[in-house]
Amino acid sequence: MSKTFDKLKPYLEKSMALMTARNLFELDDQTTAHFESEEYTSKVVGILSDEYMKSLINDDVHKLLGKLQSEKEQAQLTDTERAIVKELGKTYEQLESIPPEEYRDFNEYTSLATRKWAKAKKDNRYEDFAPYLKKIIEYKKKFAAYRAKGKKNPYEVLLGDFDECFMMKDLDLFFDKIKAEIVPLLQEVAKKAETVDKSYNYLTYDIQKQREFCRYLSGYVGFDFNRGIIGESAHPFTLQLHNHDVRITDKYLENNLESAMFSIIHESGHALYEMNIDDAITQTLVGGGASMGMHESQSRFYENVLGRSKAFWEPIYGKLVDTYPDNLKDISLDHFIKGINKAAPSLIRTEADELSYCIHIIVRYEIEKMIFNSDIDIEELPQIWNQKYQEYMGITPSTDSEGILQDTHWACGEFGYFPSYAIGTAIASQLYACMQDKMPIEEYLKAGNLTPIREFLRDNIHKYGAVKNTNQLLMDVTGEEFNADYYINYLKDKYRALYDL
Amino acid sequence: MSKTFDKLKPYLEKSMALMTARNLFELDDQTTAHFESEEYTSKVVGILSDEYMKSLINDDVHKLLGKLQSEKEQAQLTDTERAIVKELGKTYEQLESIPPEEYRDFNEYTSLATRKWAKAKKDNRYEDFAPYLKKIIEYKKKFAAYRAKGKKNPYEVLLGDFDECFMMKDLDLFFDKIKAEIVPLLQEVAKKAETVDKSYNYLTYDIQKQREFCRYLSGYVGFDFNRGIIGESAHPFTLQLHNHDVRITDKYLENNLESAMFSIIHESGHALYEMNIDDAITQTLVGGGASMGMHESQSRFYENVLGRSKAFWEPIYGKLVDTYPDNLKDISLDHFIKGINKAAPSLIRTEADELSYCIHIIVRYEIEKMIFNSDIDIEELPQIWNQKYQEYMGITPSTDSEGILQDTHWACGEFGYFPSYAIGTAIASQLYACMQDKMPIEEYLKAGNLTPIREFLRDNIHKYGAVKNTNQLLMDVTGEEFNADYYINYLKDKYRALYDL
């Protein structure tokens, strides 16, 4: 037992409480609060953020951290404590070079900007959001420059915040592979998939019934309603107060059956991760997922690898048909499976099929690289966005709401986040390949028994929280570090089989 | 402009942000969070409370406060600043003698106890809640003793927290008057009111329609949906984050039409107060209502003085009948008015008529006095409660859920709060008498025009927040301090007219 670590505890607990409060404000903001309260509430959020920063970035913590990073102290720490110290070191690095008042202003500003974004998206007015986006980018550039100290590419700094295992060179390689292998495959599949009649998906689906079926789906994959709640918001998300209180949201569209269903499976995947983190580490710095990429691997494993497979739907498709008999009575399971895997160039990331999904990420990654490596004009971003969609997808958004305004991330200042979705998607395939060797996944799915799958992920990934990083987890579970080939092969095998290519 | 006051500002702002966060947790707890999260979330709330205390109770603030209380500094302050300094002085007195760790434990404990109370009430198991109640009382006795320093009655200390203008001698006098005048009147009215057939109120009332009508009612009295939200909870309440974000809740019962309607008018009265507080003082120590009594005067003015009058319902009763034609088509407006004013001994405070209401308060006041002035056995409280109901009302609760477990206040540690309801009720009558001299209230109500009433209250009471105390407000509006005779006369006049006594 380290006395130095004990001295650190009150600081960690205070920062945890302040962060949890901020999370609750964010949750409330996105699910409940109305526009008019923003000016006053963002002041509160700004002060809480400021206090959060002060709770960790101060002379006392600095001294304790320095001591705990020494070899002698490290030897006295448990694995969890060592991981907490490492995480604190990262947080310290992230915050110490940013002047507190700037950090406070930034947090107050993003709280406001997120609401402005929501309104601008609703009104399809990029020009209303552009000044906010511009200022957020200025903040992020400045912060990244403080931290880079001239030694690093600023965008590299931001990427590292989401996953220390994936830097620009890794991502460039990864995305080049996808461009080479998946973009042509998408064209090939899209041509064949055109013949799949998916008009059933756009009939009228009663929203209350969608809510009920999505709740059922969430429970089906293992969401624990004693530890979580499903809400509604403009953009589905997962947010935990701790491992016993995980909130997910969904968005229901009357004329789209799939949208809410796959969102809820996705968010439930995130939620399972958070709910399964050990009690011993929840409410600590390592009490969340290992990385955004790892987190997305779980959500996308459930959403796509399981959720878009025939075996998954075999036991429950009948229930869906019973929920909407008029719309689905003539749609066979095989038809439905082709429908949910109908690949085509698309405009909305969250509703994209598995093949086009990563192309959405490539667009965002390339724009973020441009933003942080050149003096791009914010007014021109919608044009750049649209040109890239035309280039990679062959289609152009007709409005900014279904173009550059579709995602909330930039309004929150989360540049560098998007690649995590692609990394996670690829990790999901790597885990799937490994798990297939260890258990009869398809049999389990056909039997409606998801427990062994959930337990495997809990025991090998979830429970560790951020005690291990992405590559450590992958190494321990699959025997190798990140390898994108599993993903390329998964997509090729799946789509060739589905469409007899 | 006082430089000393400027130095105080960061402390005040930090405490405001922490208090707002605590309020949001309370709101979430009562409307959204599930039982299982309590253990972990109460830890967060405990830390935030601790930080709140530290933000105000520290050497820096102590010195600044001492300086600001001096005659020289007082002369340099604006009225608002002086009121803030006075309020801070009160807060300081409340907290400085309580050891921080005890205050933290207490807040963590009440957060937990509130959830235990909700479950015990649901399960009708007083024995499950009793140990928590016992510990809360121990805390409150200890805290009151710290503050009383042997000079004051401990219960007096607690009463002062809710309204400095009403001490035990005032309340004893007030309640004696009610016992002498209103208890006999209730008996007399109840006898006559027996003949009023109120069975219509207990038919089946679709809950979704209740939600919609209650929302309408709330807007009708002036609730601003750009500054507030209506939620649902086990016990209706009002909670503001600031004057631009006021949340109220309601509880809907399928077999009781009145319950949700009068709760929503009541909570809307509270909400109007908070929404109308000046922007210049919201998010400061004087940015809430003047006192609990003053707050209750507004809620009960709307609920009873306006809401149970014939003139109020004249323009809108037709809409209610249209909402439930099967249930109400044969109930005339006169019948309905007699129904909503049907007085009888009752068990549930929040659903009591105007005549029996204060008797509910007397029971609680007398029990609280016993708790803080004798070594009462917590196990015996349900018996004492039931005996008092038998004595004053002539009826006995058949379960603890409709007896001692009905209110949330004690679970939150809010001893000394209940008298505010009675004070508020009486103030409502005093204000009514004064307003009748100044404007044609009945005409306005009949015309469905509540604006002049709302503006009068805004301009004479609401906007001041806690810059003036209860008696100062009453003095400035009505020309005299609290006078219970208006209340006694109001009840006598109203019920004698209604029931031809």
Side-chain angles (χ1 to χ4, degrees), chain A residues 145-165:
Chain A
Y146 290 147
R147 295 170 54 195
K149 295 178 177 117
K151 288 181 199 158
K152 257 188 179 173
N153 182 299
Y155 187 48
E156 202 81 298
V157 171
L158 301 179
L159 286 171
D161 289 347
F162 295 100
D163 202 325
E164 61 183 8
C165 304

Side-chain angles (χ1 to χ4, degrees), chain B residues 306-325:
Chain B
L306 302 187
R308 293 185 199 270
S309 73
K310 187 174 171 189
F312 178 87
W313 284 98
E314 263 189 32
I316 61 174
Y317 182 63
K319 187 177 165 74
L320 182 62
V321 175
D322 290 346
T323 307
Y324 299 108

Side-chain angles (χ1 to χ4, degrees), chain A residues 131-149:
Chain A
Y132 295 91
L133 180 59
K134 191 174 175 194
K135 199 162 165 190
I136 288 170
I137 289 170
E138 283 165 7
Y139 271 118
K140 293 297 283 190
K141 281 189 173 179
K142 198 159 54 164
F143 292 175
Y146 290 147
R147 295 170 54 195
K149 295 178 177 117

